[in-house]
Structures are given as structure tokens and as C-alpha cells.
């Protein structure tokens, strides 16, 4: 009887140990399977297509978009300066343009929800999400305008007002966006405020007020260029860096009050005629 019980104990002991070993193997197999699934589901490493031009280093996930920029980027750079009569200069350091074809991927890689730029003397960068509407004809030229102006200012030790940066950027964009910006209504910003606003003050504005500010700056740049000529525009651009009000004498104006009278009349008429489709494209794009 004792022998029988012993055999039973041994039998069940062996059976129990065997079952435990089977469970461990099953868990190990499941862990291996889970690891394999994670490995398969892991996104493939992002491959960047790289192109270089005289002033730019282009990194693009989509090769076709990279080639498109490679073939056109230097022309765009020259055009956005030339149309304002500003000398086109080579960058001190190549500007990086990073191009991503989807917003989800753009957010994942850069933690940004829209295209942006950063000017740095040691090397500027422009991040472009090509899912944005008119990224090539509007978003990119606007950001390149900012980089171009900053490069010009650094090279010639000068500084233009924020009004010039924002206004010229808008007018270097797509015609549809230009018309939209210049047809905005609403309260007007006094010219004294507009011409003396700093970048720090601008960044504290709400998005709606930034749009309004940009719109009026674009109209102001257009008024000077179209009503007084490109020479006067460049004269004021340089002279206004120290005293915007004193520089108004270039247009035979004495103070901000006289400028408000002239500018608000122009802005109201321009906005109305754009809404009525009376302004030809050539006036806005020259």
C-alpha cells in the first residue's frame, strides 16, 4: 500500500512537473510571437532623399517632391528678391529645406502641426508639410522671403521693420492668397502701431490679429510700390529703420495722421475693388 501511494506521488509529481514545463514553453513561444509581431508592425526607417544647390540642402521623403524643389528653388529665391528690387545674395550657410508628404508624419517627426521656418546665421531651416494647400506657390515663398530678408539684413548690417517682412511675404505668395489677404475688412490698425510693431509684440497677438496685421502690411507695401514707385519703396525701406515717421517725408507726408488719411483711403478702395473683381492680377503681382 505504501509502495502504491509512493508510486502515485511520484506519478503525479512527474505529471505536475511536466505540465509546468509545458506552460513555460507556451509562454516563451507566445513572447517570441509577440516580439515578432511588433517587429513586423514597426514602421520602416524613414529614408530621406538629399539634393544640394548653391544655397540649399533639400531633404525630402518623397523623391519627386525633392527633385521638384531641386529644379526650382534657386529660381524662387532669386525671384522673391528681384521683384522688389533687392539684390539677390548668396546665403552665408546653406539653408536646409525638410519636406514631409503627410501631416501625420510631419507631427510625428517634428512635433509641429504646420510648416515653419527658423532663421539662424549659422544655418537656417524651413520645414514644409506638402499636404498644406499651395505649399510650393504660397507657403514656401513666404518663408523664403523671411529667410532672404534676414540674410540680407545680416550681410549689410541693417534692419527692416516687421511691417516689411510680413507685407512682402504676403505679396510673394500665391495670387489667391494675396487677394484673400487684401480683401479683409474689419477694424483698421493705426499706421503708427503697424510701422512700429516688433516681432515680440507680434507673437503675443491672437492669430486673428496677426492675420489683420499681415493684411494691412501687405496693402501698405503695395500702396508704396504701385503709387510711388519701386525706388521710393526702397528709399523708405532703408530710411524707416531708425524713424518711420520722419521717413514719411519721402512721400511728402509729415506725420502718421497724414499717412492714416492716405493709407486708409487706399486700403478701403483696394479691398472693395478686389471683392468686386475689378483689380487685375498684374496690379497685385507686377
Amino acid at each position: 500500500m505504501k509502495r502504491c501511494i509512493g508510486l502515485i506521488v511520484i506519478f503525479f509529481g512527474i505529471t505536475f512537473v511536466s505540465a509546468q514545463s509545458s506552460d513555460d514553453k507556451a509562454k516563451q513561444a507566445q513572447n517570441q510571437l509577440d516580439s515578432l509581431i511588433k517587429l513586423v508592425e514597426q514602421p520602416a526607417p524613414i529614408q530621406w532623399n538629399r539634393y544640394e544647390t548653391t544655397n540649399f540642402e533639400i531633404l525630402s521623403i518623397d523623391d519627386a517632391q525633392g527633385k521638384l524643389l531641386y529644379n526650382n528653388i534657386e529660381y524662387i529665391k532669386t525671384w522673391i528678391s528681384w521683384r522688389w528690387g533687392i539684390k539677390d545674395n548668396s546665403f552665408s550657410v546653406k539653408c536646409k529645406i525638410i519636406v514631409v508628404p503627410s501631416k501625420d508624419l510631419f507631427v510625428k517627426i517634428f512635433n509641429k502641426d504646420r510648416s515653419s521656418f527658423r532663421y539662424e546665421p549659422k544655418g537656417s531651416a524651413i520645414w514644409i508639410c506638402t499636404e498644406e494647400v499651395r505649399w510650393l506657390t504660397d507657403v514656401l515663398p513666404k518663408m523664403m522671403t523671411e529667410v532672404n530678408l534676414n540674410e540680407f539684413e545680416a550681410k549689410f548690417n541693417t534692419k527692416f521693420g516687421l511691417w516689411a517682412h510680413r507685407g512682402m511675404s504676403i505679396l510673394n505668395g500665391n495670387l489667391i492668397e494675396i487677394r484673400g489677404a487684401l480683401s479683409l475688412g474689419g477694424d483698421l490698425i493705426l499706421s503708427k502701431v503697424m510701422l512700429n510693431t516688433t516681432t515680440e509684440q507680434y507673437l503675443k497677438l491672437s492669430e486673428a490679429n496677426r492675420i489683420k496685421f499681415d493684411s494691412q502690411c501687405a496693402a501698405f507695401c503695395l500702396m508704396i510700390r504701385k503709387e510711388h514707385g519701386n525706388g521710393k519703396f526702397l528709399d523708405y525701406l532703408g530710411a524707416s529703420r531708425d524713424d518711420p515717421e520722419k521717413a514719411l517725408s519721402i512721400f511728402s507726408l509729415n506725420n502718421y495722421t497724414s499717412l492714416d488719411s492716405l493709407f486708409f483711403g487706399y486700403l478701403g478702395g483696394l479691398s472693395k475693388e478686389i471683392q468686386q473683381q475689378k483689380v487685375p492680377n498684374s496690379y497685385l503681382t507686377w
Side-chain angles (χ1 to χ4, degrees):
M1 183 68 179
K2 287 181 181 178
R3 183 182 176 190
C4 182
I5 292 172
L7 288 173
I8 292 171
V9 170
I10 292 171
F11 173 76
F12 278 104
I14 293 171
T15 303
F16 177 76
V17 171
S18 176
Q20 188 177 43
S21 176
S22 225
D23 286 345
D24 288 344
K25 288 180 179 178
K27 288 179 180 178
Q28 185 178 5
Q30 184 61 49
N31 288 338
Q32 290 174 342
L33 180 60
D34 290 343
S35 298
L36 182 61
I37 290 172
K38 287 180 181 178
L39 184 63
V40 171
E41 291 180 344
Q42 187 176 13
I46 295 172
Q47 182 174 343
W48 296 93
N49 299 285
R50 184 171 175 271
Y51 294 90
E52 279 197 64
T53 69
T54 303
N55 293 286
F56 298 93
E57 178 184 355
I58 301 163
L59 298 170
S60 177
I61 295 175
D62 185 298
D63 192 37
Q65 292 175 347
K67 288 178 180 176
L68 179 64
L69 281 181
Y70 173 75
N71 291 326
N72 292 280
I73 196 68
E74 293 290 347
Y75 166 75
I76 295 172
K77 175 184 177 297
T78 299
W79 173 80
I80 61 180
S81 295
W82 171 82
R83 73 191 302 244
W84 292 95
I86 296 175
K87 184 180 179 181
D88 183 39
N89 295 284
S90 295
F91 291 162
S92 54
V93 180
K94 288 187 179 185
C95 174
K96 283 186 172 62
I97 301 182
I98 302 98
V99 187
V100 177
S102 89
K103 185 172 182 179
D104 289 342
L105 192 56
F106 192 79
V107 172
K108 184 175 181 180
I109 298 173
F110 302 119
N111 196 30
K112 300 173 183 284
D113 60 2
R114 66 178 66 181
S115 298
S116 62
F117 78 95
R118 181 193 67 217
Y119 167 73
E120 288 287 348
K122 295 182 179 179
S124 300
I126 299 174
W127 295 268
I128 292 289
C129 174
T130 59
E131 275 196 352
E132 292 182 31
V133 178
R134 291 181 278 278
W135 69 271
L136 182 61
T137 60
D138 189 70
V139 178
L140 180 60
K142 287 176 179 176
M143 294 185 179
M144 282 184 60
T145 301
E146 293 280 9
V147 173
N148 268 18
L149 288 174
N150 277 289
E151 285 279 348
F152 185 94
E153 290 170 340
K155 186 167 186 175
F156 294 100
N157 192 29
T158 188
K159 188 67 180 175
F160 303 138
L162 180 66
W163 63 269
H165 280 253
R166 302 309 305 145
M168 293 167 70
S169 294
I170 295 295
L171 293 172
N172 280 344
N174 182 274
L175 184 59
I176 295 173
E177 301 295 333
I178 294 172
R179 286 186 175 275
L182 295 176
S183 63
L184 292 177
D187 297 333
L188 298 174
I189 302 170
L190 293 176
S191 58
K192 181 177 182 179
V193 175
M194 179 183 69
L195 295 175
N196 289 281
T197 295
T198 64
T199 300
E200 292 73 20
Q201 292 169 333
Y202 177 81
L203 293 175
K204 292 178 182 179
L205 297 175
S206 65
E207 185 169 359
N209 284 333
R210 288 185 197 177
I211 292 172
K212 183 193 299 183
F213 179 85
D214 290 352
S215 171
Q216 285 198 205
C217 290
F220 183 70
C221 289
L222 187 66
M223 180 187 75
I224 299 176
R225 174 69 186 268
K226 302 303 288 190
E227 303 301 319
H228 297 275
N230 189 62
K232 289 289 182 70
F233 174 80
L234 293 177
D235 287 345
Y236 186 73
L237 189 61
S240 65
R241 62 183 176 177
D242 298 320
D243 189 339
E245 185 174 20
K246 185 177 180 181
L248 292 175
S249 61
I250 292 172
F251 313 116
S252 301
L253 299 173
N254 299 319
N255 49 50
Y256 288 121
T257 302
S258 57
L259 175 60
D260 283 339
S261 178
L262 175 69
F263 178 50
F264 291 166
Y266 173 83
L267 182 58
L270 177 67
S271 176
K272 182 178 179 180
E273 290 193 0
I274 286 178
Q275 292 176 24
Q276 295 173 347
Q277 300 295 316
K278 292 182 178 180
V279 179
N281 291 342
S282 58
Y283 184 85
L284 304 175
T285 59
W286 67 98

